[in-house]
């Protein structure tokens, strides 16, 4: 999570705040564990005090989950948290 958008290929120092336990599958294949790590850019004014996923608004976590579900669907796979 960052205050401003980054460009593809840029390096950002970050602080890990948690992981979303997730699974995905392609077609009729088996579900495979595919967790997503969540980190905060250092320094970040918006997320400076956040030290865990509990410190984020529930709506933001819902948006992150929706992003991964949609992104994975575009690649022909299913995704669930």
């Amino acid at each position: 999570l960052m205050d401003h958008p980054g460009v593809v290929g840029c390096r950002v120092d970050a602080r890990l705040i948690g992981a979303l336990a997730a699974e995905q599958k392609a077609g009729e294949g088996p579900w495979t564990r595919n967790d997503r790590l969540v980190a905060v850019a250092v320094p970040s004014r918006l997320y400076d005090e956040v030290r865990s996923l509990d410190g984020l608004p529930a709506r933001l976590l819902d948006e992150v989950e929706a992003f991964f579900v949609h992104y994975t669907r575009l690649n022909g796979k299913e995704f669930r948290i």
Side-chain angles (χ1 to χ4, degrees):
L1 302 170
M2 300 178 2
D3 296 353
H4 304 286
V7 297
V8 175
C10 71
R11 181 178 176 269
V12 177
D13 290 331
R15 176 179 69 253
L16 184 65
I17 61 169
L20 301 175
E23 297 177 305
Q24 74 178 39
K25 74 173 185 168
E28 296 299 318
W31 286 97
T32 304
R33 187 81 183 257
N34 195 355
D35 297 347
R36 299 297 197 256
L37 302 179
V38 180
V40 172
V42 177
S44 170
R45 289 180 296 168
L46 292 174
Y47 305 105
D48 185 50
E49 302 298 321
V50 176
R51 297 291 183 253
S52 72
L53 293 176
D54 293 333
L56 296 174
R59 175 162 173 105
L60 179 58
L61 289 175
D62 290 343
E63 290 174 5
V64 169
E65 179 179 351
F67 167 80
F68 284 119
V69 167
H70 180 71
Y71 175 82
T72 307
R73 187 179 307 131
L74 290 174
N75 289 307
K77 300 176 183 176
E78 292 183 63
F79 181 85
R80 65 183 182 197
I81 298 287

